[in-house]
Amino acid sequence: MEAVLFFAAAIGALGGAIGVVALRNPFYGVLALIVHLFSLAVLFLLLSSAFVAAAQVVVYAGAVMVLYAFVVAYVGGETEPIGDPIPGQKFLAPLLGAALFIELSIAVLGSSLQALDTHGPDVHAGFGDPAGIGRLLLERFLLPFEASSILLLLAAVGAVVLAARREPSEEAAGGSSEHSSEAPAERSEDPPAASFHAGGVPS
Amino acid sequence: MNIEWYVVLSSLLFAVGAMGILIRRSPIVILLCLELMLNAGNLALVAFSRMVGNQQGQVFAIVVMVVAACEVVVGLGLIVALFRRKLPLDVDALRELRG
Amino acid sequence: MSATSWGWLVLLFPLLGSIAIAVGFRALPARVAGAIGTATIGIAFLCGVAMLVNLLGDAPDARHHASSLWDYASVAGLDVKLGIFVDPLSTFMVLVVTGVSALIHLYSFGYMRSDEGYHRFFSYLNFFVFSMLLLVLAGNFVLLIVGWAFVGFASYALISFWYRRTTATRAGMKAFVINVVGDIGLVLAALLIFRELGTFEYGAVFAKAPEVFSTNEWTITAICLLLLVGAFAKSAQLPLHTWLPDAMEGPTPVSSLIHAATMVTAGVYLIARTHVLFVLAPTAADVAAFTGLATLLVAATIALVMTDLKRAIAYSTMSQIGYMVVGVSIGAYSAGMFHLMTHAFFKALLFMAAGSIIAAMANEQNIDRMSGFGKAMRFTSATMLCGGLALAAFPLTSGFFSKDEILAYAGARGGMYVTFTVLGYFGAFLTAIYTFRLLFRVLHGEPCPEAQELIETGHVHHAHPFNPATGEEEDTEVGFPGAEHHIAEQSPPMRIAMAVLAFLALFGGLVQVPGVDNVIADFLDPVFADSPLAAIHPSTSWSWIGLGIGAVISLAGIGVAHRLYVARPEAPARLKERFALVHTFLFNKWYFDEAIDLFVVRPALAVGRFANRVFERAVVDGLVLGTEDVVGGSGRVVRFVQSGFVRSYALLLIAGFAGLALYFLLSSS
């Protein structure tokens, strides 16, 4: 029973991963990642980590992916150009991916960790419960806990600063600067507040 | 299933994520691949936590999730800023810092 | 106070004077600077006298004291102290140097009064006296070399005193370069001494040398020959003499002090001081003696035809120093030093008188244009006559006794040294001729226009300052005897100095009359007691016979000069015509300058040109530019890694990680 669940979740995770990498439209990529995250939650449950599975679903699949979806909707997903300006990249990338996988597997399987062969020790019933994790967070790992809350604050402030609306002149200057690119993305300003300067292309 | 299955799966997902970063050109998709790699790490952490028998790995996994969230926030903020300035959303086109 | 304490004071005062005048040159008025300069030397002279008195209190063979202030270099087997050595020889030199310097400072006080560079002059002059005293009082070879080098610098600074005059600066450089050649010899000699004997201190060196070296061993001969190189460069002996006539570009007090009385005698002092080494290397001593003899004769012949007053006196100096070198090389140590002393007196006096006359001539130095100053400047001509008589070894003057003492010793030593006596007397004959040639040409006869002006109006002739050699206009801003020229008749300090020297020139020799008194020899003999040559003494009767011969020769020479320049004034022109070739040869100073230019200067310049064109361009530039190209080229290649593509950076990152993981997996398996 457990094996069936494992393989199902594994195939889901792997499928989601490959979908993210292969699908052209970023929106479909976001959806593939959501599938991947749900599969991982199942795997966490199989490993008796209930709280982590729940956090995965709520935080990751719930909040982070929704954020992704918003941004993709705002930005719009366009297909990527075909040609690759970097010589050898398309050829080397799968090669290196395969090399990485093989090396990591050898490193893990070839290591002298006996417990890998097992199911793991018998754990008490409340192994993956929030109580234990909460106790660890507040007692033993208090410092990382507080540090990560500061990190969250920083990220929030940083995001606001980065994405804040600037003066119209700045954005116009940023838009008209030259770049050595093939098809510069041409997007018009959506919000009407910024299009009072002349020459705005109606969306 | 033995723990080693989970760990091997985790390394496979990690490799897929790494390959995705090398292949794709859209910054959004690159960030998604980055999420893949982080989740693969999470899976490995939880698996080892189950193998050892205490919950420290799970705590670590939660902190990793926090970090991933922060990084996504900042990365997406960058992408929005890029979009606002009408810059091409293509990492190969954004190459002014070169020798 | 011990003798060595007085010795340190002797060194201190001129140094303080030099620094004080240099530091305060804007604040001090001119006369104060001159007074400070003269006073410090006077005080140094008094300290020298005190040093003498103190020394005389010791028993004759205990009169040597060394004293050191602090360690100069004490490292790895080398132990050099800043120390002085007081013994009769250094005391004698100190007295001569400070005494004559004090008088010359007094003379300059009046002579240089209108010069713009008055302060600079006195500062340099004081520094020179300090360095000469350092040289003389040094207690080890290192300090000797220091003093030697300082003296060379002071000479350079003073020769090029009027530094906007091209002839002066060129002469200064020539003097300095030739001096450096001598310095090389001296330093090499000192290093060889250290290598063989392990010490630089005089006492230790002279005690060890007879034990370490056997007579005429090649090392000791090499050391002595190198010392001679140094001595000859400083004392202007053949072939390193060409700088001395050109050094007359400096002001006359400089010529009088440095190039007559003190610096050029440093070589003689060196040979006397290191006589122990020369006793061990008789070959080198003979080389020195013969070089001195050759210089003596060559310089005397050149002085016969010289038309520049100061240069003629300079060649005379060279010739007389030849006598001194002969003296200290063949063993007549006290006689040589005695001649050094008397020469200082009468040569300084001659230069002073010449300075006075040249001032009256508005800086014209050619004797062809001078005549009749005997009537125009009585005091100057009287003192010049005193100096000339002493130089020509007129009976009973100081030069008479000192010169003949050397020649008598040479005769007493016998063997081949009798040639020295014979040729020495021939040189004395020539000396008398050229000395009185100068005197008769300048002083006798109808007054030349400048002299006439002096007689009639009492004013010195004024002339537009220009350099007679190059014809370029002089820059009086860096000093030059300016509009006001100073002659002895109008300047009391000059007269006092010249009067004192005239007295000494006439009567200074009476301290060493053979058979009567022996003041100098008694004082100096203990220093040279360790030389077997010092035991040779001409008998009193032979000395008097020598003096008689000398008197005859001197009077004969004066008579020849009188005949040529007073009685038959047309004779010199006829002689010049008949011996035209000889005259040209002598007038061009035996072509030494040209020879040195051909054999030394041109090859050196060629080497330099080769080094610049070939070596510098090809090798050095090639290396430097080549390195630059390599670095730039490799940079250009490496630059391609920085492409700007994020994905290629990621690729490199992951590839590197994969490589590392592979390495670790392989190494741990």
Side-chain angles (χ1 to χ4, degrees):
Chain A
M1 179 61 191
E2 193 196 337
V4 172
L5 266 178
F6 171 77
F7 276 107
I11 287 170
L14 209 53
I18 292 174
V20 166
V21 171
L23 290 168
R24 293 277 127 206
N25 197 330
F27 197 67
Y28 293 150
V30 170
L31 291 175
L33 191 65
I34 292 177
V35 168
H36 168 88
L37 291 170
F38 269 104
S39 313
L40 274 188
V42 171
L43 286 172
F44 289 156
L45 277 174
L46 283 171
L47 287 168
S48 320
S49 310
F51 179 71
V52 181
Q56 174 91 336
V57 172
V58 169
V59 169
Y60 232 126
V64 175
M65 283 301 119
V66 167
L67 184 60
Y68 261 111
F70 268 123
V71 171
V72 169
Y74 179 58
V75 166
E78 79 279 9
T79 45
E80 285 178 8
I82 305 296
D84 197 330
I86 306 174
Q89 183 91 347
K90 275 246 160 64
F91 168 70
L92 280 174
L95 218 65
L96 281 176
L100 209 56
F101 167 59
I102 293 171
E103 281 172 7
L104 284 171
S105 306
I106 295 176
V108 166
L109 295 177
S111 72
S112 49
L113 286 169
Q114 264 90 0
L116 273 178
D117 276 344
T118 66
H119 218 99
D122 290 326
V123 287
H124 55 93
F127 178 64
D129 276 357
I133 293 179
R135 180 163 296 121
L136 274 176
L137 272 177
L138 289 174
E139 285 175 5
R140 190 156 169 202
F141 298 115
L142 184 60
L143 185 60
F145 176 63
E146 298 298 336
S148 43
S149 53
I150 294 179
L151 181 64
L152 280 167
L153 179 66
L154 285 174
V157 169
V160 168
V161 166
L162 274 174
R165 274 184 194 283
R166 299 276 190 267
E167 293 298 306
S169 55
E170 269 191 43
E171 296 187 46
S176 61
S177 58
E178 289 301 307
H179 286 285
S180 59
S181 58
E182 292 130 78
E186 197 70 36
R187 281 276 173 269
S188 57
E189 283 294 289
D190 279 336
S195 61
F196 59 77
H197 57 277
V201 177
S203 58
Chain B
M1 302 302 296
N2 293 343
I3 302 293
E4 61 192 4
W5 287 92
Y6 293 92
V7 178
V8 169
L9 178 65
S10 146
S11 58
L12 182 60
L13 292 172
F14 186 83
V16 168
M19 200 181 71
I21 288 184
L22 293 177
I23 289 185
R24 297 303 296 264
R25 287 170 73 171
S26 166
I28 298 181
V29 179
I30 289 181
L31 279 173
L32 288 172
C33 297
L34 214 52
E35 294 304 311
L36 278 180
M37 293 166 82
L38 281 165
N39 277 294
N42 265 355
L43 180 59
L45 274 169
V46 171
F48 281 122
S49 158
R50 179 68 181 85
M51 183 187 93
V52 170
N54 62 30
Q55 292 169 305
Q56 291 182 11
Q58 298 174 14
V59 170
F60 201 158
I62 292 191
V63 174
V64 169
M65 270 189 233
V66 167
V67 169
C70 299
E71 164 234 325
V72 161
V73 157
V74 172
L76 289 176
L78 269 174
I79 291 174
V80 167
L82 279 174
F83 177 73
R84 283 255 182 76
R85 282 160 181 68
K86 302 196 172 46
L87 292 165
L89 286 174
D90 177 357
V91 292
D92 283 346
L94 304 166
R95 62 183 291 228
E96 275 184 28
L97 283 176
R98 55 206 277 238
Chain C
M1 288 253 278
S2 65
T4 46
S5 317
W6 288 113
W8 288 114
L9 284 178
V10 165
L11 280 175
L12 179 69
F13 281 104
L15 182 64
L16 281 183
S18 173
I19 294 175
I21 298 173
V23 166
F25 85 99
R26 275 194 220 283
L28 294 170
R31 321 216 53 202
V32 174
I36 293 177
T38 316
T40 49
I41 308 298
I43 297 175
F45 176 70
L46 292 173
C47 294
V49 171
M51 195 164 84
L52 171 72
V53 167
N54 211 303
L55 202 64
L56 287 175
D58 293 328
D61 35 340
R63 284 184 192 153
H64 45 86
H65 307 280
S67 141
S68 74
L69 273 187
W70 58 76
D71 283 345
Y72 188 53
S74 186
V75 63
L78 186 70
D79 189 21
V80 178
K81 298 196 197 318
L82 212 70
I84 59 172
F85 186 69
V86 175
D87 75 343
L89 181 62
S90 49
T91 314
F92 181 80
M93 290 295 295
V94 164
L95 287 172
V96 170
V97 169
T98 49
V100 177
S101 304
L103 292 170
I104 294 175
H105 274 77
L106 189 60
Y107 175 86
S108 324
F109 186 73
Y111 184 77
M112 299 289 287
R113 195 135 59 82
S114 318
D115 200 300
E116 293 286 333
Y118 196 71
H119 297 84
R120 191 163 49 101
F121 184 76
F122 274 94
S123 178
Y124 282 163
L125 217 60
N126 267 25
F127 179 74
F128 167 77
V129 176
F130 163 72
S131 2
M132 188 70 200
L133 291 170
L134 186 65
L135 193 161
V136 163
L137 279 171
N140 55 52
F141 279 96
V142 174
L143 213 56
L144 172 76
I145 293 173
V146 171
W148 200 269
F150 278 174
V151 166
F153 161 70
S155 166
Y156 161 78
L158 285 164
I159 294 174
S160 350
F161 182 70
W162 293 312
Y163 54 83
R164 296 241 177 92
R165 221 183 188 210
T166 40
T167 44
T169 48
R170 258 188 263 141
M173 284 195 276
K174 184 171 175 180
F176 195 72
V177 169
I178 297 182
N179 260 281
V180 165
V181 173
D183 285 353
I184 297 174
L186 190 59
V187 168
L188 285 175
L191 290 176
L192 267 179
I193 289 175
F194 181 71
R195 196 185 83 151
E196 297 296 323
L197 301 173
T199 173
F200 283 115
E201 301 288 322
Y202 282 162
V205 167
F206 298 140
K208 271 200 205 170
E211 297 159 22
V212 174
F213 297 113
S214 51
T215 313
N216 259 339
E217 209 180 308
W218 78 268
T219 23
I220 186 73
T221 315
I223 292 176
C224 290
L225 286 174
L226 287 168
L227 284 173
L228 285 179
V229 170
F232 288 162
K234 198 64 89 180
S235 293
Q237 302 294 288
L238 259 51
L240 296 165
H241 66 283
T242 47
W243 63 272
L244 188 58
D246 289 354
M248 297 299 119
E249 290 285 336
T252 308
V254 167
S255 310
S256 158
L257 176 61
I258 300 185
H259 305 123
T262 42
M263 187 181 100
V264 290
T265 55
V268 178
Y269 165 76
L270 180 68
I271 302 179
R273 175 59 81 195
T274 53
H275 66 270
V276 173
L277 301 176
F278 279 95
V279 161
L280 289 166
T283 324
D286 288 339
V287 167
F290 277 105
T291 315
L293 185 65
T295 313
L296 194 162
L297 293 170
V298 167
T301 51
I302 299 178
L304 279 175
V305 300
M306 265 290 133
T307 52
D308 185 315
L309 180 61
K310 278 174 72 173
R311 277 174 176 72
I313 304 179
Y315 278 105
S316 158
T317 306
M318 215 190 287
S319 179
Q320 297 302 307
I321 295 177
Y323 276 104
M324 294 178 223
V325 169
V326 166
V328 292
S329 307
I330 63 175
Y333 305 113
S334 319
M337 301 307 290
F338 180 40
H339 193 57
L340 193 154
M341 182 180 91
T342 58
H343 174 262
F345 296 150
F346 59 70
K347 196 47 67 65
L349 177 63
L350 272 175
F351 268 114
M352 285 182 181
S356 186
I357 291 180
I358 291 171
M361 290 286 297
N363 297 315
E364 172 65 58
Q365 295 180 238
N366 196 332
I367 59 175
D368 289 337
R369 306 250 321 260
M370 300 180 194
S371 68
F373 274 99
K375 300 196 185 84
M377 294 168 71
R378 297 222 179 263
F379 181 80
T380 306
S381 25
T383 46
M384 196 166 178
L385 187 63
C386 296
L389 287 171
L391 175 55
F394 191 78
L396 299 182
T397 54
S398 58
F400 175 63
F401 290 111
S402 59
K403 196 184 296 185
D404 288 333
E405 194 174 330
I406 299 176
L407 301 177
Y409 180 94
R413 194 160 165 200
M416 77 167 164
Y417 295 97
V418 179
T419 42
F420 285 95
T421 318
V422 172
L423 291 173
Y425 277 123
F426 179 63
F429 179 59
L430 292 177
T431 308
I433 297 181
Y434 70 64
T435 311
F436 273 85
R437 165 180 177 259
L438 287 176
L439 256 61
F440 287 138
R441 287 278 291 265
V442 173
L443 302 180
H444 179 84
E446 281 307 307
C448 61
E450 291 83 357
Q452 196 65 26
E453 187 177 332
L454 198 57
I455 297 176
E456 288 166 5
T457 63
H459 285 310
V460 175
H461 176 70
H462 286 231
H464 198 64
F466 83 103
N467 187 345
T470 59
E472 62 187 33
E473 184 158 328
E474 299 291 349
D475 183 349
T476 53
E477 278 196 15
V478 299
F480 198 62
E484 276 300 311
H485 302 293
H486 296 280
I487 58 175
E489 280 70 9
Q490 294 172 352
S491 174
M494 289 166 73
R495 283 208 295 272
I496 299 173
M498 289 165 81
V500 172
L501 281 176
F503 176 78
L504 287 171
L506 287 179
F507 304 115
L510 295 174
V511 292
Q512 182 101 338
V513 181
V516 177
D517 55 7
N518 222 0
V519 176
I520 307 281
D522 284 340
F523 183 58
L524 288 178
D525 275 342
V527 177
F528 304 108
D530 47 9
S531 162
L533 298 169
I536 304 175
H537 285 296
S539 63
T540 317
S541 42
W542 270 113
S543 302
W544 277 103
I545 294 176
L547 284 174
I549 301 176
V552 167
I553 287 180
S554 158
L555 290 168
I558 297 176
V560 169
H562 185 268
R563 203 178 135 92
L564 285 176
Y565 295 102
V566 178
R568 307 254 176 105
E570 70 281 2
R574 269 195 292 129
L575 278 175
K576 191 157 114 175
E577 261 177 57
R578 257 221 280 167
F579 297 104
L581 274 178
V582 176
H583 182 266
T584 323
F585 184 67
L586 294 179
F587 193 71
N588 281 313
K589 304 162 271 175
W590 289 53
Y591 292 110
F592 264 103
D593 276 315
E594 287 77 2
I596 288 180
D597 184 55
L598 188 62
F599 289 115
V600 176
V601 175
R602 272 177 219 221
L605 285 177
V607 170
R609 242 174 280 129
F610 169 75
N612 184 36
R613 230 174 272 150
V614 175
F615 194 71
E616 179 84 13
R617 298 274 153 81
V619 177
V620 175
D621 276 356
L623 271 176
V624 171
L625 292 174
T627 315
E628 183 190 326
D629 285 338
V630 165
V631 170
S634 52
R636 236 170 281 133
V637 168
V638 173
R639 203 187 295 149
F640 282 114
V641 177
Q642 292 267 324
S643 57
F645 289 125
V646 172
R647 292 194 299 147
S648 68
Y649 297 162
L651 184 78
L652 286 170
L653 200 150
I654 293 178
F657 174 72
L660 261 174
L662 188 65
Y663 167 72
F664 279 119
L665 280 179
L666 287 176
S667 66
S668 65
S669 64

